[in-house]
Amino acid sequence: MAELIAKSPGAGLHLPVTRGGATLAEWLPGAITSVAPFAGAGDKVDAALTPLGMGFPAPNGMAQGKTARIVWTGRGQAFLIGAPAPEGLGAVAALTDQSDGWAGLRLAGPAAADVLARLVPLDLDSFAPGTAARSLLGHMALILMRPDPEVWDILVFRSMARTAIHELDTAMVQLAARAAG
Amino acid sequence: MRIPCPLCGTRDRREFTYYGSEDYANRPAADAPAQAWDDHLHNRDNPCGPTRDLWYHDPCGAWVRVHRDTATHAVHGSDLVAERGQA
Amino acid sequence: MRYSGLRVLTEGLFGNKGWKPAWRDPAPKAQYDAIIIGGGGHGLSTAYYLAKNHGLTNIAVLEKGYLGSGNIGRNTTIVRANYFLQGNSEFYSHSLKLWEGLESELNYNVMHSQRGLINLFHSDGQRDAFVRRGNAMINQGDDAILLDREGVRRHLPYLDFEQTRFPIYGGLLHPRGGTARHDAVAWGYARGADRRGVDLIQNCEVTGIDIENGRVTGVQTTRGAIRAKKVGMVVAGRSSQVAAMAGMRLPIESHVLQAFVTEGLKPVIDHVISFGMGHFYMSQSDKGGLVFGGDLDFYASYAARGNLPIIEHVMEAGMTLMPMIGRAKVLRSWGGIMDMSPDGSPIIDKTPIDGLFVDCGWNYGGFKAVPASGWCMAHLMATGESHPVARRFRLDRFATGHVIDEEGTGSQHNLH
Ligand SMILES: Cc1cc2nc3c(=O)[nH]c(=O)nc-3n(C[C@H](O)[C@H](O)[C@H](O)COP(=O)(O)OP(=O)(O)OC[C@H]3O[C@@H](n4cnc5c(N)ncnc54)[C@H](O)[C@@H]3O)c2cc1C
Ligand SMILES: [Zn+2]
């Protein structure tokens, strides 16, 4: 049987890159599972997530455990990122493996928010560390997380990886040029 | 124009897709007369002023009923279509 | 007063003192044979043809603002007959023929310029669709020429043919398509109607429609009650409000469409260019401004202005197609209120109320329709019968399923 070579979504796309006060790197989130609680099963979902040190997040919320992260991604839906679904979760929520559907990027540094501000129609000043949002990156669907004040984790559809990197890098170039001028 | 998503908060208009008047959410019964279907699909009050219409918040997938003004573009509030009539 | 070159010359020699106002400013009479509500392009052309073709001269046009204050003075002036579906095809063909004789007909320079319209296509499938459309146009007696990529390049060498998202495969050239001066069309019809005795009454808003025993008897206005046995509602984006005065609910939703113009430039764009896939079209006005626009803002609106995301979208599409325009400065943007119908095609029909007629649903394509709409609406109001080229524009076609969905986008008001 042919040996297939696993490639990350950002492979060959010239990351990481640093321009001015921002660095864009590929972020490999690991397993991504969509968790959609069954009707009325909210408490049971929270209980099943407890071993990971988290519960089901509120809109615009995320929680970071030791091994995994959970982020709200829509009405009645969250993504469990970085760890397999804990035992029992599948009995109280619809689980869908999305691991290979997304491209992860990490934008970090003091200028990171300014780079994003060129592409994301959100008020990033009031985007508190430890929160998340579903929004747009240019024309692309986006899941944006801010785990630390100067770190922004980005998920876009895997097929959009090249475009997302291009758009972000263009914004970084423009911002760095403006800072230099 | 900025539109409040009951889940995500107030967001830029470009995150939303417009569907039309809230008439679209009031589906006639399957055996309703043809006139009711014509009204549901085609005929509109089309008010100049306060209106309630349906928008889809693309990022989070919620159908939102927006209370706004067609003359001024002022947006007054919104609720989830899925929770209409509840609480 | 007839306009002519000689007249311009003699007036020039004698200090331009002999010019008279192009139309009177009459007070409303208590009664007319027919009333047209709305002094836009369609209302004025309806009045003109009622007088000219049907000899009905005891009529009035009631306009709530000034003549030409609505969409007729806000559009991007494209005149074409490149429709595909029966119903539209014969109607717009008739309209273009009227355009071609309009200046001598009206003794007025409407600056009709048949500079050619090119609709671009970007895939094999789209080419097939354009071949069909071109054949339909030729069958209708109009003109269409299929251009391959090199053919487009000969006409429009400055386009970016290699853009990755929508590489240009070719275009459909409609040589008789072009532009006209929008408000000159309103003024020309206004003057023509006035000269035939039509009262054009401005600052006269209709506030009620009087109906007795299912028959229309007149209207209430801000300048008093006026009686008439025939009333035509020709109010474009305001159609729902006026129809509601007669207790009607129309299949119309009003939407805002924006447009843009740059500073004046030397002649650079000879055609009308339509880049449908990118939602962008452009021509150059005789003053030199690049006149361009795109799609609706997509939400119901009566504010004659739009929002920034569409402006950004239109600019992006323009820059994708023809990067050279990036150097031009945009002078102005504005919006107009479109009477969107669920299939994108218009309505010229009787209503359930005797003597009350409706002409609406022009979406964003009603400028080119001004001559034929007036022609057919006048025919309907005078004879009680639909004109053959407008007989499919029925008010009840959504209920009966006889829709004319030119774009094939389904029955949603903002998708056409
Ligand atoms: C930005 C833009 C671009 C466009 N581009 C094109 C194009 O390139 N080609 C094309 O074919 N079409 C185009 N159109 C569409 C075209 O302009 C319209 O379809 C057409 O002008 C509508 O008909 P009208 O001229 O009669 O409307 P209007 O000029 O709007 O006339 C309606 C009149 O009714 C009056 N009225 C309303 N209510 C009352 C009342 N209660 N009492 C008395 N009067 C009343 C209004 O004041 C108004 O003057 C465009 C439109 C816009 C906004
Ligand atoms: Zn939302």
Side-chain angles (χ1 to χ4, degrees), chain C residues 61-327:
Chain C
V61 176
L62 310 182
E63 165 54 48
K64 75 170 174 176
Y66 57 91
L67 297 182
S69 53
N71 291 327
I72 189 65
R74 292 169 179 267
N75 63 74
T76 42
T77 77
I78 301 171
V79 173
R80 58 186 164 96
N82 61 349
Y83 283 74
F84 178 61
L85 293 181
Q86 266 183 35
N88 284 331
S89 189
E90 61 268 33
F91 175 82
Y92 288 103
S93 180
H94 182 60
S95 205
L96 186 55
K97 288 181 197 117
L98 292 174
W99 275 106
E100 288 170 338
L102 198 59
E103 294 177 342
S104 52
E105 166 78 27
L106 296 176
N107 176 232
Y108 204 89
N109 183 5
V110 301
M111 297 163 81
H112 183 216
S113 152
Q114 295 183 293
R115 55 187 68 183
L117 161 70
I118 297 178
N119 280 86
L120 299 171
F121 55 80
H122 314 271
S123 67
D124 292 333
Q126 227 194 339
R127 179 197 289 118
D128 291 350
F130 274 59
V131 169
R132 285 184 72 199
R133 177 174 296 266
N135 286 339
M137 291 159 67
I138 290 167
N139 281 343
Q140 183 58 49
D142 295 315
D143 60 345
I145 298 170
L146 193 75
L147 302 176
D148 62 9
R149 191 185 164 95
E150 291 314 308
V152 173
R153 208 191 287 277
R154 272 197 299 281
H155 289 284
L156 313 172
Y158 42 77
L159 300 186
D160 180 359
F161 285 78
E162 310 300 337
Q163 38 157 317
T164 43
R165 182 67 183 84
F166 295 115
I168 295 168
Y169 275 45
L172 190 64
L173 169 65
H174 173 36
R176 284 164 65 222
T179 59
R181 167 88 196 262
H182 46 17
D183 26 33
V185 176
W187 299 334
Y189 274 116
R191 173 167 163 273
D194 175 86
R195 276 163 33 129
R196 286 182 158 74
V198 175
D199 280 358
L200 306 176
I201 301 167
Q202 309 185 57
N203 297 313
C204 180
E205 179 171 355
V206 171
T207 54
I209 296 180
D210 298 330
I211 297 162
E212 280 165 32
N213 303 322
R215 275 210 112 276
V216 71
T217 58
V219 296
Q220 300 292 322
T221 80
T222 48
R223 297 178 70 175
I226 308 177
R227 293 183 68 80
K229 291 206 172 80
K230 288 182 180 176
V231 175
M233 304 185 285
V234 195
V235 290
R238 290 281 171 167
S239 294
S240 297
Q241 280 69 43
V242 173
M245 296 172 194
M248 291 171 58
R249 207 163 167 258
L250 293 178
I252 296 289
E253 195 170 87
S254 295
H255 281 259
V256 56
L257 178 69
Q258 305 194 60
F260 311 85
V261 67
T262 69
E263 61 194 327
L265 304 170
K266 287 186 177 170
V268 52
I269 294 177
D270 302 331
H271 305 73
V272 181
I273 305 167
S274 175
F275 171 35
M277 291 307 287
H279 311 148
F280 178 83
Y281 63 91
M282 177 179 268
S283 66
Q284 188 168 18
S285 81
D286 292 350
K287 274 195 286 187
L290 303 179
V291 179
F292 61 104
D295 241 322
L296 295 175
D297 268 39
F298 288 122
Y299 46 85
S301 170
Y302 286 85
R305 65 191 134 79
N307 266 284
L308 287 170
I310 287 292
I311 299 182
E312 184 181 36
H313 180 74
V314 171
M315 303 295 163
E316 278 177 356
M319 288 295 291
T320 305
L321 183 69
M322 37 206 304
M324 70 171 189
I325 63 173
R327 291 272 163 167

Side-chain angles (χ1 to χ4, degrees), chain A residues 72 134, chain B residues 5-9 11 15-16 57-62 64:
Chain A
W72 185 83
R134 288 215 69 158
Chain B
C5 169
L7 299 174
C8 303
R11 294 292 184 88
E15 289 191 1
F16 294 83
H57 191 213
D58 302 322
C60 83
V64 181

Side-chain angles (χ1 to χ4, degrees), chain A residues 48-165:
Chain A
L49 287 167
T50 311
L52 292 174
M54 56 186 61
F56 193 84
N60 300 325
M62 62 177 279
Q64 181 72 55
K66 276 206 186 63
T67 53
R69 174 189 295 182
I70 193 161
V71 55
W72 185 83
T73 51
R75 201 173 145 249
Q77 187 198 64
F79 281 4
L80 178 63
I81 298 175
E87 211 169 313
L89 190 59
V92 292
L95 305 183
T96 318
D97 179 15
Q98 304 229 353
S99 309
D100 295 322
W102 295 82
L105 297 169
R106 174 164 287 178
L107 187 66
D114 293 339
V115 171
L116 284 175
R118 292 187 162 224
L119 294 164
V120 179
L122 293 174
D123 177 4
L124 297 171
D125 283 342
S126 54
F127 199 115
T131 66
R134 288 215 69 158
S135 183
L136 299 173
L137 181 79
H139 294 179
M140 288 164 278
L142 165 73
I143 302 171
L144 184 64
M145 294 157 274
R146 190 180 191 182
D148 288 304
E150 285 192 8
V151 177
W152 301 82
D153 286 340
I154 292 166
L155 287 176
V156 295
F157 297 144
R158 183 181 179 123
S159 60
M160 303 279 165
R162 181 190 295 265
T163 310
I165 292 167

